[in-house]
Structures are given as C-alpha cells and as structure tokens.
Amino acid sequence: MALFSSLTPVFIAIICVLIGVILKKTGGEKEKGEIKSKPLPRPWVDEDLKDGTDHHLEEEEAEEEWQGLDENVAHVPFFAERYPEDEMIKRSKVFYELLNKRRSVRFLSDEPVPREVIDNVIRTAGTSPSGAHTEPWTFVVVQDPYLKHKIREIVEEEEEINYKKRMGDRWVNDLKRLRTNWIKEYLDTAPYLILIFKQVYGRLPNGKKKTHYYNEISVSIACGILLAALQNAGLYTVTSTPLNCGPQLRVLLQRPANEKLLLLLPVGYPKKDATVPALTRKPLEDIMVVM
C-alpha cells in the first residue's frame, strides 16, 4: 500500500504527459487538415473581377422596396418574325459559317476603322439580356494614342510579373504553343480599344445603391454578342483579360469604384502578314448532349 502511495505521483505525471502528447497530436492533425483543406491559389482569378452580385447593401438599403424601376411596367404585344424551316436551316448555317471564321488575332493593323461601326457593334452588345433588366455594363472606347500607350504600359508591366511569377510553369507552358507573351503591341496599333466594365451595383435617384443581379453573367453575355457583332462587321480582336490591371486601368480611365474591368478588346483589321495558330474546334458531338 505504501509502495502504491509512493508511485501515485509518478503515475499522475505519466498520465499528464500522455494527455499532453495526445492533445498535441490531435491539434497537429487538425492543423494539417486545415492546411490541406485550404484552397490552392488561383492566379488567374483577378481579385478585381470577383462578382459583386452578393454585395452586402446597408440594412436600410436592403429593405428599400423600390429599385428604381417602375412597379407596373407596361407590356406590349410582341410580333416575332418567323421563317420557313428551310430558311431557318439556311440562316443558321450561314451564321455558323460566319462565326466559325472568328479567330483571336494578335497582329492588328493601325488602319482606321469607321467610328460608326464601333457605335453600332456596341449598340448591338447593349441588346443583351441582363438580370432584372439592370443593364450592368459600361463600354469604354479608347482611340487616343496617349491613353492606348498608357494602357499598354500598365498591362505589360503586370503581365511580365504574371508570366514570371504568378501564373506558374503549367500555365506558361500551355501558352507557349500559342506563341503569346507579355508584349502587347496590338494595344498601340489597334485603332480602338474597347474596355468592358461590369457595374457591381448601380445608384438610385436618391443616391442609394441599387442591386445589379447576376452582373458578371449579364456582362459576359453582352461580350459574346459584341464578339459576334465585330465578326459580322469584318473586324477582329483578341479577348484580353488583363490580370491584376483592373484597378489601375479603372483609375486611368476615371471609372467609378462600382465598375470592375471584365474584358479588354483591341479592335481593328488584321495586318497583311498576320498569323494565327492552326487550331481546330471540337466537333458537335463533343460539345452537345441530346437527352
């Protein structure tokens, strides 16, 4: 009994040590789990492009019933033009053949383009559907040589960092076959640069914020329509998403804080010696599923 009493402190000390080891191990495993579950960095996701659909309005604004639209919008009869089936097939085929000629062209001529054409293609993009008809887009057309060059300086400076540090070997290697790099000569030579901004929220007549639902999706659809309109007019571009350049370009172009740069399009005619990669598109059976 005396022996047991003398060993009791030893047993207690051993138990305390074991408990400490177990707790430390559990904590370490938890920490590892947290590290494991931490999402991998995605350098292609520009912080300035994050969708603002979930933008938290101030409480009093969120309770605001009126969003700036008439409560009772008049509905009018809709008359659609309907084509015979053979005409539908013909038109759909002709339009496909036109759009199938669309290519991303990085060698653009400085040959002037009629300004009226640019006005018309942007009008066309403005016909795009949008969440609750908020039309959350701004198309900034830059033709001033000084501004175009400043845009090029900003883009090339950030793109060099992207290629050398942010993008990673896999992404850079994937781009090598397209022979593209951070040098963007077309930003100087193209007669027009069209910068498409998404408005993450709007403003009501009383100055309060107005929700723009699905703003990124809405503006993306408008960009697709714009690309089709440019192709239809015989103009070419390359879709440019200037990673980490949004805030600087927004300030340069004096755009408000509620606008985020989504896409930059240099627009013009291809140079006579322009080349494009010999790429093929997926066949219909690889992109369509009929249920």
Side-chain angles (χ1 to χ4, degrees):
M1 191 73 177
L3 178 63
F4 181 78
S5 298
S6 62
L7 291 176
T8 298
V10 178
F11 287 139
I12 292 172
I14 292 172
I15 290 168
C16 289
V17 170
L18 288 173
I19 291 171
V21 170
I22 291 168
L23 288 173
K24 187 176 180 182
K25 188 178 179 183
T26 305
E29 287 176 354
K30 185 180 178 183
E31 192 177 327
K32 280 181 185 174
E34 287 175 354
I35 292 171
K36 241 182 192 179
S37 63
K38 188 178 179 182
L40 293 170
R42 298 185 296 164
W44 58 89
V45 178
D46 190 337
E47 288 296 314
D48 197 48
L49 292 182
K50 284 188 174 179
D51 197 315
T53 301
D54 59 351
H55 179 81
H56 298 292
L57 301 177
E58 285 81 354
E59 190 175 344
E60 65 272 13
E61 292 175 358
E63 292 174 356
E64 192 83 36
E65 291 183 6
W66 181 57
Q67 278 276 71
L69 298 175
D70 293 334
E71 290 184 12
N72 298 307
V73 177
H75 281 225
V76 297
F78 176 68
F79 299 100
E81 188 170 0
R82 183 162 177 169
Y83 305 105
E85 287 189 5
D86 58 342
E87 179 68 9
M88 290 172 64
I89 293 170
K90 179 183 176 182
R91 290 172 68 91
S92 64
K93 185 178 179 183
V94 168
F95 191 68
Y96 159 69
E97 289 170 350
L98 171 67
L99 268 293
N100 194 38
K101 294 175 184 175
R102 188 209 58 76
R103 296 301 307 269
S104 294
V105 178
R106 293 175 172 83
F107 305 99
L108 295 172
S109 165
D110 60 0
E111 185 181 350
V113 170
R115 168 61 191 282
E116 189 176 355
V117 176
I118 302 301
D119 293 351
N120 288 335
V121 296
I122 290 179
R123 279 195 186 98
T124 304
T127 68
S128 174
S130 60
H133 193 59
T134 51
E135 302 177 294
W137 42 66
T138 302
F139 300 90
V140 178
V141 178
V142 178
Q143 56 185 352
D144 178 73
Y146 171 79
L147 270 182
K148 287 194 296 180
H149 189 68
K150 290 298 292 183
I151 290 171
R152 179 180 178 180
E153 287 180 340
I154 291 170
V155 172
E156 286 188 344
E157 182 180 358
E158 288 296 330
E159 279 286 79
E160 184 173 5
I161 299 171
N162 292 334
Y163 271 81
K164 292 182 177 179
K165 296 181 179 180
R166 298 183 182 124
M167 290 161 58
D169 293 339
R170 181 185 298 177
W171 191 359
V172 172
N173 287 332
D174 284 346
L175 290 174
K176 274 183 181 177
R177 66 194 184 103
L178 303 179
R179 298 180 191 174
T180 179
N181 54 38
W182 61 84
I183 305 300
K184 313 293 183 185
E185 182 186 352
Y186 51 72
L187 295 177
D188 268 326
T189 59
Y192 295 100
L193 304 182
I194 302 177
L195 294 91
I196 301 99
F197 288 82
K198 66 171 188 175
Q199 302 168 5
V200 295
Y201 59 86
R203 286 288 179 187
L204 296 171
N206 60 10
K208 291 186 177 181
K209 291 179 182 177
K210 171 186 174 184
T211 305
H212 279 176
Y213 311 98
Y214 301 109
N215 54 73
E216 186 159 310
I217 295 173
S218 300
V219 180
S220 297
I221 294 171
C223 290
I225 294 176
L226 177 58
L227 291 174
L230 288 169
Q231 181 70 16
N232 182 60
L235 295 175
Y236 287 82
T237 185
V238 54
T239 51
S240 169
T241 50
L243 188 65
N244 297 302
C245 299
Q248 294 181 73
L249 295 178
R250 188 172 68 241
V251 171
L252 175 68
L253 300 174
Q254 301 177 17
R255 302 312 308 159
N258 67 316
E259 295 187 359
K260 309 294 182 184
L261 181 62
L262 187 68
L263 199 64
L264 191 166
L265 300 178
V267 174
Y269 303 110
K271 286 184 175 180
K272 290 181 179 179
D273 58 350
T275 61
V276 294
L279 303 176
T280 58
R281 294 188 168 97
K282 292 180 179 180
L284 182 64
E285 56 268 23
D286 285 355
I287 63 173
M288 183 176 76
V289 177
V290 180
M291 308 293 285

PDB file of all heavy atoms in Angstrom, residues 2 26 125 159 184-185 190 281:
ATOM      1  N   ALA A   2       1.940   1.201   0.829  1.00  0.00           N
ATOM      2  CA  ALA A   2       2.864   2.336   0.898  1.00  0.00           C
ATOM      3  C   ALA A   2       3.570   2.528  -0.433  1.00  0.00           C
ATOM      4  O   ALA A   2       3.792   3.646  -0.890  1.00  0.00           O
ATOM      5  CB  ALA A   2       3.895   2.107   2.022  1.00  0.00           C
ATOM      6  N   THR A  26      -3.466  15.621 -31.745  1.00  0.00           N
ATOM      7  CA  THR A  26      -4.789  15.966 -32.290  1.00  0.00           C
ATOM      8  C   THR A  26      -4.785  17.355 -32.890  1.00  0.00           C
ATOM      9  O   THR A  26      -5.310  17.593 -33.976  1.00  0.00           O
ATOM     10  CB  THR A  26      -5.858  15.888 -31.186  1.00  0.00           C
ATOM     11  OG1 THR A  26      -5.808  14.603 -30.586  1.00  0.00           O
ATOM     12  CG2 THR A  26      -7.252  16.127 -31.771  1.00  0.00           C
ATOM     13  N   ALA A 125     -24.266  45.036 -78.652  1.00  0.00           N
ATOM     14  CA  ALA A 125     -23.940  44.402 -77.369  1.00  0.00           C
ATOM     15  C   ALA A 125     -24.916  44.830 -76.286  1.00  0.00           C
ATOM     16  O   ALA A 125     -25.260  44.052 -75.389  1.00  0.00           O
ATOM     17  CB  ALA A 125     -22.510  44.751 -76.960  1.00  0.00           C
ATOM     18  N   GLU A 159       1.663  41.980 -66.791  1.00  0.00           N
ATOM     19  CA  GLU A 159       1.728  40.701 -67.483  1.00  0.00           C
ATOM     20  C   GLU A 159       3.113  40.058 -67.357  1.00  0.00           C
ATOM     21  O   GLU A 159       3.231  38.835 -67.273  1.00  0.00           O
ATOM     22  CB  GLU A 159       1.366  40.880 -68.960  1.00  0.00           C
ATOM     23  CG  GLU A 159      -0.126  40.950 -69.222  1.00  0.00           C
ATOM     24  CD  GLU A 159      -0.801  39.610 -69.090  1.00  0.00           C
ATOM     25  OE1 GLU A 159      -1.054  39.197 -67.937  1.00  0.00           O
ATOM     26  OE2 GLU A 159      -1.078  38.985 -70.111  1.00  0.00           O
ATOM     27  N   LYS A 184       2.431  43.294 -75.719  1.00  0.00           N
ATOM     28  CA  LYS A 184       1.103  43.507 -76.308  1.00  0.00           C
ATOM     29  C   LYS A 184       1.151  44.686 -77.292  1.00  0.00           C
ATOM     30  O   LYS A 184       0.566  45.747 -77.058  1.00  0.00           O
ATOM     31  CB  LYS A 184       0.062  43.786 -75.213  1.00  0.00           C
ATOM     32  CG  LYS A 184       0.107  42.817 -74.025  1.00  0.00           C
ATOM     33  CD  LYS A 184      -0.298  41.419 -74.409  1.00  0.00           C
ATOM     34  CE  LYS A 184      -0.302  40.497 -73.191  1.00  0.00           C
ATOM     35  NZ  LYS A 184      -0.590  39.092 -73.553  1.00  0.00           N
ATOM     36  N   GLU A 185       1.826  44.495 -78.407  1.00  0.00           N
ATOM     37  CA  GLU A 185       1.970  45.560 -79.405  1.00  0.00           C
ATOM     38  C   GLU A 185       0.611  46.039 -79.913  1.00  0.00           C
ATOM     39  O   GLU A 185       0.417  47.223 -80.209  1.00  0.00           O
ATOM     40  CB  GLU A 185       2.814  45.062 -80.581  1.00  0.00           C
ATOM     41  CG  GLU A 185       3.054  46.110 -81.657  1.00  0.00           C
ATOM     42  CD  GLU A 185       3.760  45.547 -82.881  1.00  0.00           C
ATOM     43  OE1 GLU A 185       4.196  44.377 -82.829  1.00  0.00           O
ATOM     44  OE2 GLU A 185       3.867  46.279 -83.876  1.00  0.00           O
ATOM     45  N   ALA A 190      -3.857  48.844 -82.645  1.00  0.00           N
ATOM     46  CA  ALA A 190      -5.289  48.744 -82.937  1.00  0.00           C
ATOM     47  C   ALA A 190      -5.919  50.135 -82.886  1.00  0.00           C
ATOM     48  O   ALA A 190      -5.646  50.904 -81.965  1.00  0.00           O
ATOM     49  CB  ALA A 190      -5.977  47.824 -81.937  1.00  0.00           C
ATOM     50  N   ARG A 281     -11.575  23.201 -83.809  1.00  0.00           N
ATOM     51  CA  ARG A 281     -12.620  23.265 -82.786  1.00  0.00           C
ATOM     52  C   ARG A 281     -13.222  21.889 -82.568  1.00  0.00           C
ATOM     53  O   ARG A 281     -13.233  21.045 -83.468  1.00  0.00           O
ATOM     54  CB  ARG A 281     -13.703  24.275 -83.197  1.00  0.00           C
ATOM     55  CG  ARG A 281     -13.183  25.711 -83.226  1.00  0.00           C
ATOM     56  CD  ARG A 281     -14.306  26.716 -83.451  1.00  0.00           C
ATOM     57  NE  ARG A 281     -13.830  28.071 -83.180  1.00  0.00           N
ATOM     58  CZ  ARG A 281     -13.406  28.921 -84.096  1.00  0.00           C
ATOM     59  NH1 ARG A 281     -13.385  28.563 -85.370  1.00  0.00           N
ATOM     60  NH2 ARG A 281     -12.980  30.132 -83.765  1.00  0.00           N
TER      61      ARG A 281
END
